[in-house]
Amino acid sequence: MTNSELHTDNAQVQELFETAKKCIGIFSVVCVIVLSTVIVDAVLHGPVSAFMWVRAGILLAVAPLLHRLAVRASQGSRPSLDRLRTVTTVLPIAIVVIDLIPGVCPGWYAALQGISALSLVAVAVITRRRALSGASPTSA
């Protein structure tokens, strides 16, 4: 085992990763709902900005990448766990801060994006649990 591998054979560790993957699944579903709502709003000639299209698309594209990081981390990849921790800490902050800028997006859009951010906050908390920190190999 190299220094970049985790001890993930513990049932509690695998349960935490499964919960993290479910939260990423929730994030994905909310992203699909947001993009679908933007599409419907555009078809009905509602006020849809380029920002709303781009952001909804980017966040939906990020979802499978987050899932892949969670899968790799659950298989023992320390770099994947570190990346997952970083992204799920920074991304919700960015989502909320941008949504708080007046006039950038409508309230319904900000609310849905806030819900998606909450699921990422859950992943950030889960990936910092003591059980996962303890999954690190002991240094020689």
Side-chain angles (χ1 to χ4, degrees), residues 22-40:
K22 288 176 186 174
C23 290
I24 293 168
I26 292 168
F27 172 76
S28 302
V29 168
V30 174
C31 288
V32 168
I33 291 169
V34 170
L35 186 56
S36 299
T37 307
V38 168
I39 291 168
V40 168

Side-chain angles (χ1 to χ4, degrees), residues 31-90:
C31 288
V32 168
I33 291 169
V34 170
L35 186 56
S36 299
T37 307
V38 168
I39 291 168
V40 168
D41 206 19
V43 168
L44 298 175
H45 305 290
V48 178
S49 67
F51 165 80
M52 292 166 63
W53 281 104
V54 171
R55 182 165 171 198
I58 289 172
L59 290 179
L60 183 57
V62 166
L65 301 174
L66 292 175
H67 186 266
R68 183 66 182 146
L69 286 175
V71 168
R72 285 185 178 171
S74 72
Q75 294 170 343
S77 172
R78 164 62 74 185
S80 292
L81 178 60
D82 291 341
R83 287 182 189 110
L84 186 62
R85 284 176 172 166
T86 301
V87 172
T88 58
T89 300
V90 174

Side-chain angles (χ1 to χ4, degrees), residues 2 8 16 21 24 32 40 43 56 61 64 72 75-76 89 106 121 123 127 130:
T2 67
T8 59
L16 289 171
K21 288 185 243 181
I24 293 168
V32 168
V40 168
V43 168
R72 285 185 178 171
Q75 294 170 343
T89 300
V121 169
V123 175
T127 58
R130 183 175 302 233

